[in-house]
Amino acid sequence: MKIIIMFLFMANCFSAYNVGDAISNNHLNQEFELCYSIPGTSDNVIKLNDYNGNVNGGDYHVLVIDMSATWCGPCQSLIPLFDDLQQVYSNNQYVELFVALSDLNQPYSCTQWGNMGDNGIPNIIDDTGYPVFNMFNTGSAFPSLVMIDHNMKVYYKEAGYYNTFVQDASEIIDEMLSNMENSLILYSDFNFNIDELSDDGDGILNPDESFNLEFSINNNSFYLDALNVTAVIESEIDFAENYNDIIFNNSNIVFGNIEVDQSSTVSISGFVNGDVYLGTHNFNLIIAAEYIDLDGNYSESITTYPFSLDISLNQLGFPYDTNSEVKSSPLVIDFNNNGNNEIIFGDYVGLVHVLDYNGNPIQSDLFPYDTGNQIWGSPASGYIDGDDNMDIAISSKSKHLYVFDSNGLKLDYNANQYLIGTPALGNLDDDDDLEIVFGSYSNDAKIFAINIDGTDVDGFPLLLDEKMQKGVALSDFDGNGKDDIVVGTDDDNIILIDDNGNINFSFQTGDKVRSAPIVVDNGNEKMIIAGSKDGMLYGINSLGEMVFSFDSYSPIYTSPTILDTGFGIMIFFGNNEGKIYAINPNGNLYDGFPIELMEQNVLLPFNAVSGSILFEDIDNDGLAEIIFGDEGSDMHILKSTDNSYSSFYYYNNMPYSDTFAYSSSLNIQDMDNDGDVEIFGGTEGDLIVIDIKEPSSNDEYWNIYRGDYHRRGEFFYESSCAVGDINNDGILNILDIVSLVNIIIDTPDISDLESCASDMNSDGVIDILDIVTLVNIVMSEN
């Protein structure tokens, strides 16, 4: 315990504290700079809470604060008296003097003022702007004196200069010391541990986690024993009315009797609900105790000690501050072959980062690697050359493509053209190695296909002369065992390029194609799907013919993704208005879409979606959640009410807001192998990793940008023909009868799925008998 005498000089701009007032937490934590200090003083910044035993470990003090200005004559006259008072208490561990000095250099500097002292030389606080004077002045007069007791309450105030200052101030100090020595002084400390049986052990308290809380009460009194000590926990703000956020198993705690210089410890446990309010939860431990004072009188004491619990979705070590935009969807792989996953991504400064799973940067001679210009695309990874080391390919606006493995830089390919799209890994030739495919965003733009040794694949680079902002999709369209290339361009085209570099077809849209295309393969036929700035999502068959065009009425920048529901696939994308769409392979909108939220009967569309919409069954209930970030800094996780995916509500704690807008596609992986998933995403200033605290399923969903780390943008599924559902909308009705009649009257080129659905009697022929069968089914259901 310590009694500190502080002489501080301040100015008035709000109603100053009066005698008996407790100083607020904000003012207790306000920092003040020392501009002159006693030799041996190491701290240059102080705050009143440094001397508050309730928060500093039980080291209690009293404070004496006097406020002066350098132009004030009476203040100068007090200097030797301050020195004398400092000398009186120089050997008292509970007493220190401070001077807070206003209006520096008018005419004296802080150093000049301090050098006027002869004996004690009190510490001087720079009170420029009058922060101390504003809190404690007496009648807006210099000098002003205030004294604060060990409970951080104003004990005494006075203004002016008088010759008996040392004697009078000493009497008040001794009175405060006596009060402190004859008070019951209990100090509480707490330790908090997350229950290792129910969490990932990362030391961060997340929703759906239990924890242990250990309280220790120390009796720091001079002479008084504490009797029948009990405590209760109260929330500083009653979040429980709306959330019932944090549940303690025992909020009434019994510590028993605690003698002087002894302590008592009690442990309680608690649980954080899944729908908890995220942020700092402030609580008070209110301690009640009895004691017999030095006069033999029975008394009671009530003391309040604040503590807080921080609830976050963040994984340990995150967010990771890059001070730069991260458009790059991160990899989560065992890059170093050490059994632990690493996180790899690029940023707008041009750095390639490698982090461990705790968010620590892996410093080496190579990383972070400076590519020399912005990185827009995401890294691709795979065993490109077939050795045991995972390779990473990443492009840069520096016009170079780089390949790394754990041993260092493996390839630096100079394309001499801006590279901002995501590279893809595939097989375009006859060797066993993977090739790296990427487009450029320069005049005379080219498609590149290169080997790991930096040589070009035959037929490449192909001069396309159409800028490509996004990455390519890869799929074997002609069945020759080699990948063909699909790309969208700023010349409004979706182009299929054969593995030998020949252009197969070019399909024209209504505007630039800034949505990385995907290829959907049902085993019988392939369809290219891509969005355009014209607001249309296009479906194109392998002949370059349009299967469908769906108008969302706003530019589409997201790369489409696929959710296989078991009864059919849903093609998801978002537009620039923040609407979420899902259509079937015929271009028909599913029920319940586009998704818009209702709050108090007001439509609240999302901000524009960043990257792609992803899927994962994060709570293992058999239904995939819809997951994405937006340009308004929110992460969204939407749950379906059933397997029709036609009605949605928010998952716990969603939407989850970050400081910065999301700028990359997300990635959903179990990074730390604890059975639940983490969600990764790049923002305009950091890399976010949030931790979901429910066991996830082992089902495979589209949960990575472009579908996998090869970044191929390809989706395979088995066509599960729903007999009679000609238009593949999940419903048998008159529309299917009309479609079947049209097929029979004028048999067009129909898809395998339509052919399967039309053959109602399974005789291999589509005719009038199939119509009769379908009509009977529709009539019987109605």
Side-chain angles (χ1 to χ4, degrees):
M1 292 176 293
K2 219 174 201 181
I3 297 181
I4 295 181
I5 305 175
M6 309 176 75
F7 295 92
L8 311 175
F9 310 74
M10 312 167 132
N12 195 0
C13 65
F14 87 108
S15 181
Y17 288 104
N18 295 313
V19 173
D21 290 345
I23 302 171
S24 72
N25 283 332
N26 286 339
H27 283 144
L28 287 174
N29 286 305
Q30 185 172 348
E31 293 186 341
F32 306 107
E33 181 182 354
L34 288 180
C35 58
Y36 190 93
S37 58
I38 296 172
T41 303
S42 59
D43 294 334
N44 293 322
V45 176
I46 66 165
K47 54 182 181 291
L48 300 183
N49 245 352
D50 295 338
Y51 313 106
N52 180 7
N54 286 1
V55 297
N56 70 6
D59 192 14
Y60 289 85
H61 313 84
V62 299
L63 314 176
V64 179
I65 302 175
D66 190 51
M67 297 152 276
S68 294
T70 64
W71 47 262
C72 168
C75 299
Q76 296 175 38
S77 300
L78 277 176
I79 291 176
L81 300 182
F82 294 158
D83 285 354
D84 290 344
L85 190 62
Q86 170 76 20
Q87 194 67 26
V88 170
Y89 291 98
S90 61
N91 294 321
N92 190 319
Q93 63 176 325
Y94 307 117
V95 179
E96 295 182 17
L97 269 76
F98 286 81
V99 174
L101 192 59
S102 299
D103 298 329
L104 299 182
N105 302 310
Q106 300 181 39
Y108 298 106
S109 70
C110 180
T111 300
Q112 289 172 329
W113 191 272
N115 288 340
M116 293 182 194
D118 296 325
N119 299 313
I121 314 178
N123 287 319
I124 300 178
I125 294 171
D126 181 354
D127 201 35
T128 300
Y130 309 104
V132 183
F133 190 84
N134 287 344
M135 283 192 280
F136 300 118
N137 81 86
T138 301
S140 298
F142 287 110
S144 281
L145 178 73
V146 64
M147 296 188 180
I148 300 170
D149 66 15
H150 70 283
N151 292 315
M152 292 288 120
K153 292 183 178 180
V154 176
Y155 190 81
Y156 177 82
K157 292 179 64 171
E158 188 174 22
Y161 166 85
Y162 48 96
N163 293 328
T164 59
F165 172 79
V166 176
Q167 178 182 345
D168 295 347
S170 297
E171 289 178 359
I172 299 172
I173 292 169
D174 291 342
E175 187 176 289
M176 289 192 294
L177 284 171
S178 177
N179 290 341
M180 184 173 70
E181 292 175 359
N182 290 282
S183 297
L184 184 65
I185 301 176
L186 301 179
Y187 169 73
S188 177
D189 195 6
F190 81 98
N191 294 308
F192 130 79
N193 295 294
I194 300 176
D195 186 351
E196 296 297 333
L197 296 178
S198 64
D199 87 306
D200 56 7
D202 66 359
I204 297 201
L205 196 55
N206 303 132
D208 285 316
E209 281 192 330
S210 59
F211 61 90
N212 293 321
L213 204 56
E214 183 179 88
F215 289 101
S216 292
I217 295 183
N218 306 290
N219 187 348
N220 289 347
S221 306
F222 285 78
Y223 311 112
L224 305 179
D225 293 334
L227 309 175
N228 301 321
V229 181
T230 60
V232 295
I233 296 174
E234 291 186 357
S235 174
E236 193 169 287
I237 299 176
D238 190 9
F239 290 111
E241 289 184 4
N242 298 316
Y243 299 97
N244 196 25
D245 288 344
I246 299 175
I247 301 171
F248 298 97
N249 73 327
N250 181 14
S251 59
N252 297 299
I253 310 167
V254 177
F255 291 92
N257 299 335
I258 309 175
E259 297 178 351
V260 173
D261 294 331
Q262 300 298 309
S263 64
S264 178
T265 300
V266 174
S267 293
I268 65 171
S269 61
F271 180 75
V272 182
N273 279 325
D275 58 352
V276 64
Y277 163 83
L278 298 175
T280 299
H281 292 249
N282 296 311
F283 299 91
N284 288 316
L285 184 71
I286 302 175
I287 301 173
E290 303 166 356
Y291 64 97
I292 307 298
D293 66 22
L294 298 180
D295 295 327
N297 298 315
Y298 173 87
S299 297
E300 295 181 346
S301 170
I302 302 292
T303 312
T304 299
Y305 296 90
F307 70 95
S308 62
L309 297 175
D310 291 323
I311 313 299
S312 170
L313 292 180
N314 292 332
Q315 179 77 3
L316 177 66
F318 295 93
Y320 178 78
D321 188 5
T322 59
N323 291 314
S324 176
E325 185 174 3
V326 179
K327 296 177 75 71
S328 177
S329 183
L331 297 171
V332 181
I333 58 174
D334 184 4
F335 179 59
N336 289 337
N337 293 321
N338 60 0
N340 296 316
N341 285 323
E342 283 77 42
I343 307 162
I344 301 149
F345 63 96
D347 66 21
Y348 233 44
V349 174
L351 297 178
V352 180
H353 298 270
V354 181
L355 311 178
D356 68 18
Y357 62 90
N358 287 322
N360 300 309
I362 294 178
Q363 302 289 344
S364 66
D365 294 337
L366 190 63
F367 296 109
Y369 186 86
D370 189 353
T371 67
N373 209 326
Q374 299 168 349
I375 298 174
W376 290 43
S378 302
S381 70
Y383 295 100
I384 297 177
D385 55 6
D387 64 13
D388 293 332
N389 296 314
M390 180 71 73
D391 300 305
I392 301 167
I394 192 166
S395 58
S396 170
K397 200 176 176 184
S398 66
K399 304 182 180 180
H400 288 249
L401 179 126
Y402 302 90
V403 178
F404 308 92
D405 68 11
S406 58
N407 294 319
L409 181 64
K410 183 175 286 187
L411 173 64
D412 178 353
Y413 181 88
N414 186 358
N416 289 309
Q417 294 193 326
Y418 293 124
L419 306 178
I420 60 177
T422 297
L425 307 181
N427 189 356
L428 278 73
D429 57 21
D430 295 321
D431 62 28
D432 294 331
D433 294 338
L434 295 174
E435 284 70 56
I436 309 164
V437 184
F438 50 98
S440 67
Y441 198 74
S442 293
N443 295 327
D444 302 325
K446 300 175 182 178
I447 283 283
F448 297 86
I450 63 174
N451 298 297
I452 189 61
D453 61 3
T455 59
D456 297 312
V457 175
D458 289 344
F460 296 91
L462 168 66
L463 177 60
L464 204 58
D465 203 21
E466 298 185 28
K467 292 181 179 180
M468 293 156 280
Q469 189 188 83
K470 299 296 184 179
V472 304
L474 300 180
S475 186
D476 180 10
F477 278 80
D478 53 16
N480 68 350
K482 300 177 183 179
D483 286 319
D484 305 301
I485 305 167
V486 181
V487 67
T489 75
D490 272 12
D491 282 13
D492 313 343
N493 291 317
I494 300 171
I495 302 173
L496 175 62
I497 302 165
D498 293 335
D499 56 79
N500 59 9
N502 293 327
I503 294 178
N504 188 304
F505 67 75
S506 181
F507 176 91
Q508 188 166 25
T509 70
D511 206 336
K512 293 180 175 66
V513 180
R514 295 284 180 81
S515 163
I518 66 170
V519 177
V520 177
D521 185 346
N522 66 9
N524 298 307
E525 57 186 354
K526 295 178 185 287
M527 180 165 59
I528 300 167
I529 304 172
S532 168
K533 283 187 68 177
D534 64 7
M536 307 292 287
L537 188 77
Y538 294 92
I540 307 162
N541 66 21
S542 57
L543 299 176
E545 301 165 338
M546 187 171 69
V547 177
F548 68 80
S549 62
F550 179 89
D551 195 350
S552 75
Y553 303 102
S554 181
I556 300 171
Y557 300 114
T558 63
S559 179
T561 52
I562 305 297
L563 175 62
D564 190 348
T565 65
F567 60 82
I569 65 168
M570 304 176 75
I571 305 166
F572 275 81
F573 68 97
N575 69 4
N576 208 44
E577 289 182 347
K579 294 181 179 180
I580 308 300
Y581 292 87
I583 62 176
N584 67 18
N586 294 321
N588 298 315
L589 189 68
Y590 277 101
D591 289 343
F593 291 88
I595 298 176
E596 293 178 300
L597 297 182
M598 295 288 293
E599 184 174 295
Q600 297 179 348
N601 297 320
V602 177
L603 280 175
L604 295 175
F606 302 113
N607 291 288
V609 176
S610 298
S612 292
I613 298 164
L614 302 181
F615 316 100
E616 185 65 63
D617 184 3
I618 62 176
D619 55 5
N620 199 23
D621 66 351
L623 297 174
E625 280 70 52
I626 299 171
I627 305 169
F628 58 94
D630 70 27
E631 294 180 2
S633 78
D634 286 335
M635 179 183 292
H636 304 266
I637 302 180
L638 301 177
K639 287 186 62 64
S640 176
T641 56
D642 55 40
N643 60 9
S644 70
Y645 293 95
S646 59
S647 178
F648 299 90
Y649 61 96
Y650 267 123
Y651 181 69
N652 293 340
N653 317 117
M654 293 293 147
Y656 180 61
S657 295
D658 184 49
T659 304
F660 305 103
Y662 283 88
S663 52
S664 84
S665 285
L666 302 178
N667 185 0
I668 308 168
Q669 302 295 315
D670 183 2
M671 175 179 67
D672 48 13
N673 299 314
D674 63 352
D676 58 48
V677 297
E678 287 74 46
I679 303 177
F680 306 76
T683 76
E684 292 181 348
D686 52 25
L687 182 77
I688 295 292
V689 181
I690 71 168
D691 193 0
I692 302 299
K693 290 297 182 181
E694 294 190 87
S696 61
S697 74
N698 294 320
D699 295 334
E700 294 185 0
Y701 294 98
W702 192 308
N703 59 9
I704 297 172
Y705 179 57
R706 311 296 290 138
D708 60 22
Y709 286 148
H710 285 189
R711 310 297 192 189
R712 294 172 58 87
E714 185 177 33
F715 185 85
F716 295 95
Y717 76 103
E718 292 184 7
S719 174
S720 54
C721 168
V723 176
D725 188 10
I726 316 299
N727 60 8
N728 195 32
D729 63 357
I731 304 171
L732 297 184
N733 55 23
I734 188 64
L735 297 178
D736 298 300
I737 297 173
V738 172
S739 297
L740 182 55
V741 170
N742 288 333
I743 289 173
I744 294 174
I745 292 176
D746 182 18
T747 305
D749 292 329
I750 62 175
S751 68
D752 291 341
L753 185 63
E754 289 172 316
S755 176
C756 172
S758 300
D759 189 7
M760 299 296 300
N761 56 11
S762 301
D763 63 359
V765 180
I766 302 173
D767 55 18
I768 188 65
L769 297 178
D770 297 302
I771 296 177
V772 172
T773 303
L774 181 57
V775 168
N776 289 332
I777 293 174
V778 172
M779 291 181 62
S780 65
E781 290 185 352
N782 294 328

